[in-house]
């Protein structure tokens, strides 16, 4: 629709609410309807009142917006084509849709996990799979003492990024993962990124176990009762919701801990959301820190 109007307030006002609503319903596939058309027309009227004729070149601005909308439409078409191709290839690699049976996961995300992880049966153990992802904590040993540090971040950064986002999706549908996230963030004061890294390692372990056993991912409540995804989302939204007050308390607690131990860096207390690209962090410490690499997956 932006390609046709360029969001020019004069054009929107001439369209009127009924014709604009019809366009919105058509191009949004029913997601935007009459109430949205009403808001847009009102916004167009307010725009004309703020900038009367001559104060702003609406025609030139609309042309720019229409050009941007055309490029966005072209990119969306390309993305749709790639999604269709990925779906075909994924069906060949995982006809039982085991990876896609994860809570809240779609074909594209499942394909991203399977494509970068490879056949889970090639690993001798589930621990080996977790180590391959680079999501396991680095252990520091000195004499008789030891402590766990941030993830090793070895291996494919794209796999970690996909698992990180998949875990963030899954925690809203799987009560077990939601309970774990709630415990880490609220009770233990763990940073959001570190908590998601923990969940990502758990999720890939479960998905790999399902693959090795030839079974689909089963959603269960914390008491072991089997539930549907809709029930899982309801449980997560009500029982394990973290409000602003909870996060504020956690923030105060973490700041208090940093004041007590100023020698501990922030990097040691939280795990980055995006994995590092380039050489692994097992290389010399004299090398600069790796930049984060983002992978946009759905």
């Amino acid at each position: 629709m932006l390609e046709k109007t360029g969001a020019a307030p004069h054009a929107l006002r001439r369209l009127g609410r009924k014709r604009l609503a019809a366009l919105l319903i058509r191009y949004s596939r029913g997601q935007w309807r009459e109430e949205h058309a009403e808001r847009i027309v009102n916004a167009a009227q307010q725009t004309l009142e703020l900038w009367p004729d001559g104060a702003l070149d609406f025609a030139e601005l609309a042309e720019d917006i229409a050009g941007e909308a055309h490029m966005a439409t072209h990119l969306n078409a390309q993305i749709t084509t790639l999604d269709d191709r990925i779906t075909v290839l994924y069906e060949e690699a995982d006809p039982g849709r085991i990876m896609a049976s994860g809570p809240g996961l779609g074909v594209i995300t499942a394909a991203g996990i399977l494509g970068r992880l490879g056949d889970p049966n090639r690993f001798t153990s589930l621990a080996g799979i977790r180590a391959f992802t680079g999501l396991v904590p680095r252990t520091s040993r000195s004499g008789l003492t030891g402590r766990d540090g941030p993830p090793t971040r070895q291996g494919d950064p794209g796999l970690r990024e996909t698992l990180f986002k998949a875990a963030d999706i899954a925690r809203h549908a799987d009560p077990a993962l939601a309970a774990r996230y709630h415990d880490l963030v609220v009770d233990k004061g763990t940073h959001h990124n570190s908590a998601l890294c923990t969940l990502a390692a758990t999720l890939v372990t479960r998905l790999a176990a399902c693959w090795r056993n030839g079974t689909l991912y089963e959603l269960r409540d914390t008491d072991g009762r089997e539930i549907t995804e809709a029930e899982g989302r309801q449980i997560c939204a009500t029982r394990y919701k973290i409000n602003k007050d909870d996060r504020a308390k956690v923030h105060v607690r973490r700041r208090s801990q940093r004041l007590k131990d100023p020698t501990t860096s922030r990097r040691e207390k939280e795990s980055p959301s995006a994995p590092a690209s380039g050489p692994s962090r097992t290389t010399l410490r004299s090398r600069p820190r790796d930049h984060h690499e983002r992978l946009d997956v759905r």
Side-chain angles (χ1 to χ4, degrees):
M1 191 188 75
L2 286 176
E3 287 185 79
K4 296 181 178 297
T5 65
H10 294 95
L12 292 172
R13 192 171 61 175
R14 282 196 301 269
L15 273 175
R17 290 171 175 78
K18 289 186 178 180
R19 285 196 294 172
L20 181 58
L23 283 173
L24 289 175
I25 293 171
R26 176 184 174 186
Y27 287 102
S28 69
R29 298 181 180 179
Q31 295 183 10
W32 283 34
R33 307 189 72 84
E34 289 80 2
E35 62 274 13
H36 294 92
E38 179 76 21
R39 295 178 193 171
I40 292 173
V41 172
N42 291 338
Q45 183 61 40
Q46 292 174 10
T47 300
L48 291 173
E49 293 173 359
L50 287 172
W51 288 284
D53 290 342
L56 185 64
D57 192 341
F58 290 113
E60 183 177 356
L61 181 60
E63 186 176 350
D64 292 339
I65 294 176
E68 295 289 340
H70 177 73
M71 288 190 290
T73 301
H74 179 65
L75 288 174
N76 284 335
Q78 289 183 314
I79 291 172
T80 300
T81 301
L82 289 174
D83 285 351
D84 292 340
R85 179 59 177 159
I86 291 172
T87 300
V88 172
L89 295 175
Y90 174 74
E91 294 288 352
E92 294 176 359
D94 185 11
R97 290 200 169 200
I98 294 177
M99 287 292 176
S101 67
L105 304 188
V107 169
I108 304 303
T109 302
I113 296 174
L114 182 59
R116 292 181 178 275
L117 179 65
D119 185 359
N121 290 322
R122 67 192 179 95
F123 296 92
T124 58
S125 66
L126 294 177
I129 294 176
R130 287 194 298 273
F132 178 80
T133 66
L135 291 169
V136 294
R138 183 186 297 106
T139 302
S140 299
R141 300 291 179 185
S142 178
L144 300 177
T145 62
R147 63 185 180 87
D148 291 334
T152 63
R153 297 197 295 175
Q154 295 179 343
D156 188 349
L159 174 60
R160 289 192 296 279
E161 182 67 16
T162 306
L163 289 171
F164 183 90
K165 292 184 177 180
D168 200 20
I169 295 171
R171 72 181 179 90
H172 295 287
D174 189 335
L177 294 178
R180 178 63 173 154
Y181 178 84
H182 189 278
D183 174 68
L184 287 170
V185 173
V186 177
D187 298 333
K188 295 183 172 60
T190 305
H191 190 275
H192 167 78
N193 291 347
S194 295
L196 280 188
C197 283
T198 299
L199 263 60
T202 302
L203 179 63
V204 72
T205 302
R206 293 181 179 180
L207 290 173
C210 290
W211 182 279
R212 291 155 76 97
N213 294 329
T215 58
L216 298 178
Y217 193 106
E218 292 184 358
L219 272 183
R220 296 183 180 275
D221 199 354
T222 51
D223 60 1
R225 178 176 60 90
E226 189 171 353
I227 57 176
T228 64
E229 185 168 317
E231 291 175 317
R233 291 187 180 279
Q234 181 65 25
I235 293 172
C236 294
T238 55
R239 192 188 302 169
Y240 300 110
K241 182 179 180 180
I242 301 178
N243 54 41
K244 293 182 179 179
D245 293 337
D246 293 331
R247 293 193 181 276
K249 292 177 182 178
V250 172
H251 178 72
V252 171
R253 185 190 310 166
R254 283 205 300 264
R255 186 172 64 176
S256 175
Q257 290 174 349
R258 286 197 297 269
L259 291 175
K260 291 180 180 179
D261 187 9
T263 61
T264 304
S265 67
R266 181 175 179 177
R267 180 173 291 274
E268 293 176 341
K269 296 187 177 189
E270 63 181 71
S271 299
S273 60
S277 60
S280 67
R281 297 192 64 187
T282 56
T283 54
L284 296 177
R285 287 184 174 271
S286 59
R287 294 188 179 183
R289 295 188 185 276
D290 300 324
H291 293 292
H292 288 173
E293 173 182 285
R294 303 296 299 183
L295 175 66
D296 189 14
V297 293
R298 297 203 227 170

